Amino acid sequence: SFCIFGETNTVNNYKRPFEECGYIGSNQEPVFSGIASSVATLVSEDYKHGALLIDIGAGTTEFMLFHGTGYFTCGVIPVGCDHMANDISIGLDLHISRARKILLDVFKTEDFLRAPHIEIEGSVELRKIPSVSVEKIAELRINEIMDIIISKIGISNLKRHVDRGIVICGGGAAFPSVIRCAEKKFDAPVRIGLPREINGAV
């Protein structure tokens, strides 16, 4: 079982919007985000045959290895998309706000990095940054995340328990080469986890 620890006011701030929408009940308690992500993205076959869920968020990355009727292992890594933006900022000598904007543009536009250069207005003149530089810097951080997960789970456990492959979700899943990086690191099929059975007004 999981125990969720947190500052009471912070937890209540997250619960309040749901209560205002009518989701009030004694069984409404916080859960580990890896479980919440798995409920939204995995199917019964994933649980039955084994899948590794990786949720790359802004400041952290959660992972859970499911197999059979439960989970084999899980964890939280204090590395996420904010660290990619910081790497881009330092590596390309950009203000952090510009680095975040570039990363958001990459996430929002699938072919953003296909252009040879990214143009940024400087204080004196227009600056052209090679797209490949942004991609390489971000990939280094993605590969680091994958390496940490492998070190925590163990490659033998991955091979033994994961038949359905790797499912990546969260903001980091929007990076164009994240599937290629994960396939290379884990030597397993990789897919992006999208919320299932969502309908109604957006």
Side-chain angles (χ1 to χ4, degrees):
S1 64
F2 287 96
C3 291
I4 304 296
F5 294 91
E7 202 269 326
T8 303
N9 289 336
T10 303
V11 174
N12 288 337
N13 285 342
Y14 278 102
K15 293 171 69 174
R16 194 168 295 115
F18 292 96
E19 292 172 352
E20 291 174 358
C21 291
Y23 293 96
I24 302 173
S26 59
N27 61 341
Q28 306 262 339
E29 293 298 331
V31 298
F32 177 53
S33 59
I35 293 178
S37 298
S38 71
V39 170
T41 59
L42 300 185
V43 297
S44 58
E45 290 297 306
D46 294 327
Y47 293 107
K48 181 178 179 182
H49 298 292
L52 173 62
L53 177 75
I54 302 173
D55 186 344
I56 305 175
T60 61
T61 297
E62 291 82 30
F63 65 90
M64 290 195 78
L65 176 55
F66 294 93
H67 189 85
T69 57
Y71 69 94
F72 180 78
T73 188
C74 66
V76 179
I77 302 167
V79 182
C81 296
D82 280 346
H83 298 83
M84 290 184 209
N86 190 59
D87 293 343
I88 293 169
S89 171
I90 294 171
L92 300 177
D93 191 24
L94 297 171
H95 190 274
I96 187 64
S97 62
R98 288 188 182 273
R100 288 193 182 112
K101 173 72 166 58
I102 289 173
L103 202 56
L104 284 173
D105 288 339
V106 172
F107 288 168
K108 289 189 294 185
T109 309
E110 189 174 335
D111 59 351
F112 185 79
L113 291 177
R114 291 179 186 170
H117 295 92
I118 298 170
E119 294 184 350
I120 297 176
E121 290 186 12
S123 56
V124 179
E125 59 183 12
L126 194 69
R127 182 178 172 191
K128 291 185 176 181
I129 295 173
S131 299
V132 68
S133 298
V134 174
E135 188 172 20
K136 290 296 182 186
I137 291 171
E139 282 184 4
L140 287 171
R141 187 62 78 172
I142 291 170
N143 286 328
E144 179 197 27
I145 290 171
M146 306 300 172
D147 285 336
I148 293 172
I149 292 172
I150 289 171
S151 70
K152 289 184 176 295
I153 296 176
I155 198 67
S156 60
N157 286 326
L158 281 168
K159 297 292 185 186
R160 185 161 57 248
H161 294 288
V162 176
D163 291 333
R164 293 279 293 183
I166 317 297
V167 180
I168 302 178
C169 62
F175 197 80
S177 56
V178 70
I179 290 180
R180 175 169 53 81
C181 291
E183 285 177 339
K184 187 175 179 181
K185 285 290 181 181
F186 293 106
D187 191 24
V190 180
R191 76 175 195 267
I192 300 301
L194 300 173
R196 299 177 292 104
E197 301 173 1
I198 301 296
N199 53 43
V202 177

